[in-house]
Amino acid sequence: AQKVTQAQTEISVVEKEDVTLDCVYETRDTTYYLFWYKQPPSGELVFLIRRNSFDEQNEISGRYSWNFQKSTSSFNFTITASQVVDSAVYFCALSVRAAGNKLTFGGGTRVLVKP
Amino acid sequence: GAVVSQHPSWVICKSGTSVKIECRSLDFQATTMFWYRQFPKQSLMLMATSNEGSKATYEQGVEKDKFLINHASLTLSTLTVTSAHPEDSSFYICSATHRDRYQPQHFGDGTRLSIL
């Protein structure tokens, strides 16, 4: 079975601060995908990134960056110079090819960016 | 990019009513659609996997007779909450995948269901 743990339930920062969201996953499969989604107060899920298990390269997209480390089964997400619009719940998720690519979500981390 | 439309976005109805939620892939063929449920301040929990032309596969603990899923075409899946009760009030969200199953799932905007 798959499991995703987001230990931080809520993080509060002041605008322009950096914030790092932790994600730890568990799976016995060697082929899997990791995702991050953003859920603003309106409720829709916004896809941010997908990383497959064979690609450990870190990625940067604008103010967002991701650190994938298979050795520690972690896929952390950093928002640099946070803005009020970054306030949302962020979900880390895992899908395994052997399980039909169903998504297993972490509990989510609520980020509150104060002006 | 791929777009998934979910309708209605919100619904309020009386206890005992059946409610149908539609999930449509607008610009791609979705061989598989997923239905999730999210309670306030909680994570998304997969309810069932819907494959076009076949019966849905339900996750453990999800009542098949309560949550009827139909995936009649490559662009449409429906979730019907039968004889809804207040405890069924939740946020329901669908997602769809391309024939190429290694593409990210594309999510609808969700349906807020409130049963009075």
Side-chain angles (χ1 to χ4, degrees), chain B residues 26-73:
Chain B
L26 298 184
D27 55 356
F28 66 98
Q29 293 183 326
T31 51
T32 303
M33 290 185 174
F34 301 90
W35 288 95
Y36 297 86
R37 182 175 184 176
Q38 184 181 30
F39 290 108
K41 296 190 176 182
Q42 293 189 23
S43 188
L44 286 83
M45 298 299 294
L46 179 66
M47 299 174 66
T49 302
S50 167
N51 293 299
E52 185 266 337
S54 62
K55 291 184 178 180
T57 302
Y58 290 81
E59 295 300 301
Q60 190 172 7
V62 178
E63 298 177 58
K64 300 179 182 180
D65 295 332
K66 178 72 170 177
F67 300 100
L68 300 179
I69 292 173
N70 186 301
H71 193 161
S73 75

